[in-house]
Amino acid sequence: MLVVVSIGGSVFSSWEIFKKYAEVIEMLKDEHELFVVVGGGKTAREYIQMARSLGASEGVCDRIGIEITRIHARLLISALGDCAYPVPPEDYEGARLASLTGKVVVMGGVSPGYTTDAVSAILADYVKADLLVSLTSTDGVYEKDPEMYPDARKFDSLTYKELLDIVTETELKAGSKGPFDPVGVKIAERSSISMVIADGRKPENLARIINGEKVGTFVGTVAVR
Ligand code: UTP
């Protein structure tokens, strides 16, 4: 199976988690073709905030965010060692070319105006992925923020349109947060890419999802699972 995996930067709370992801990816790499897109998380938000306070434009803030995502990509590449392509490609064509080496491709952001969620959806379309897995710091998509509303209902499955309604509230500002970037949802819908959004704080979830277990929230043309 060809799988694009988006790992939110908020998941990388310590160096050990890079190591755990490397172990899971190494276990899966012989049977599946994997592309991993890594986010910038808290570190990106802190640097973006500093740049904004210093008067930088949103586009410059985005550039700074992209640099942080690429540093995270380099950390995961370090943990993966020889089985990873040694540098994070800077665009989709570069990612495709890197994958021809047979190595796992790990990259960060690409261009201003969106987030690594959107990058993962564009990449999934570009390489014709069978599945897009988005690993974040919640265990799926909720009707409202589960941290503010403990009674919020979690969805087992959603259509792209339903997910879009949920994420449309997300601010299109450098460093903003939501269950998935709306640009990414539109891309996934356009190419009918099946998605699973699940808890990335448990790296083993990646193996469970690829092995067909029902984990997190499934998103597709029809909300069945
Ligand atoms: P992230 O993808 O990490 O954003 O990129 P995020 O939504 O904060 O995700 P988490 O917290 O990691 O899950 C960090 C910032 O880098 C810029 C954006 O400003 C984004 O908010 N960025 C990233 C881009 O402008 N373009 C890209 O292709 C990627």
Side-chain angles (χ1 to χ4, degrees), residues 8-10 39-41 44-45 48 62 65-66 69 109-116 119 174-177:
S10 52
R45 272 192 293 280
I48 285 167
D62 281 341
I66 291 168
T69 63
V110 171
S111 45
Y114 47 81
T115 73
T116 48
V119 170
S176 66
K177 270 201 75 62

Side-chain angles (χ1 to χ4, degrees), residues 4-89:
V4 172
V5 185
S6 167
I7 309 177
S10 52
V11 165
F12 294 115
S13 50
S14 67
W15 68 270
E16 285 97 340
I17 198 117
F18 285 97
K19 201 143 184 59
K20 285 191 188 140
Y21 264 106
E23 283 163 16
V24 174
I25 291 167
E26 275 182 50
M27 209 172 67
L28 294 165
K29 73 165 185 5
D30 290 337
E31 274 193 59
H32 305 280
E33 191 178 350
L34 300 174
F35 291 78
V36 185
V37 182
V38 179
K42 186 166 158 266
T43 314
R45 272 192 293 280
E46 279 171 9
Y47 275 83
I48 285 167
Q49 201 40 57
M50 274 193 273
R52 205 177 270 140
S53 307
L54 293 167
S57 65
E58 286 298 306
V60 169
C61 290
D62 281 341
R63 278 280 163 213
I64 287 169
I66 291 168
E67 296 300 333
I68 303 293
T69 63
R70 289 185 181 155
I71 289 171
H72 281 171
R74 283 189 186 271
L75 289 175
L76 184 57
I77 289 169
S78 303
L80 282 163
D82 265 359
C83 74
Y85 189 74
V87 292

